[in-house]
Amino acid sequence: MTVLIELPPGDLGSPPHRHSGPVYGYMIEGEMIFELEGEPERVIRAGEAFWEPGGDVIHYQAANNLSDRWSRFVVVMFCVPGEPMLTYVDDEELAARRDRRAPRS
């Protein structure tokens, strides 16, 4: 599945979630705060690519880092047959796995 994601200024993006398969992305415009479980948050800028392995890894953030402009990126997601493409993570699981989240600034 290929999807164009458009985030208005300051948008926090999707709540914490995971994907059943790998995701590959390319930042078309703007900036995104990107954070995967076990990795520090970082800023992805226009012209840069990113990926996530899918499976059990939690994707914490995909937020627009700009308060005055839209950010847009395209993703190609590979889904495991018979499993949902995206599953939200509840507060209980986030609390149980908080030791896997990289320290935040």
Side-chain angles (χ1 to χ4, degrees), residues 8-81:
D11 191 283
L12 298 177
S14 298
H17 61 275
R18 63 172 51 92
H19 297 279
S20 61
V23 176
Y24 301 89
Y26 180 78
M27 203 71 202
I28 297 169
E29 177 183 350
E31 297 180 356
M32 172 178 52
I33 301 171
F34 185 79
E35 182 187 3
L36 293 177
E37 188 171 58
E39 298 180 10
E41 64 182 31
R42 65 186 197 264
V43 175
I44 309 291
R45 293 178 172 80
E48 296 178 346
F50 58 93
W51 84 286
E52 36 183 307
D56 191 45
V57 175
I58 295 174
H59 182 178
Y60 286 99
Q61 290 189 77
N64 186 343
N65 192 43
L66 303 173
S67 61
D68 62 343
R69 290 187 289 151
W70 283 72
S71 290
R72 294 175 173 85
F73 57 95
V74 64
V75 291
V76 177
M77 300 179 280
F78 293 87
C79 184
V80 173

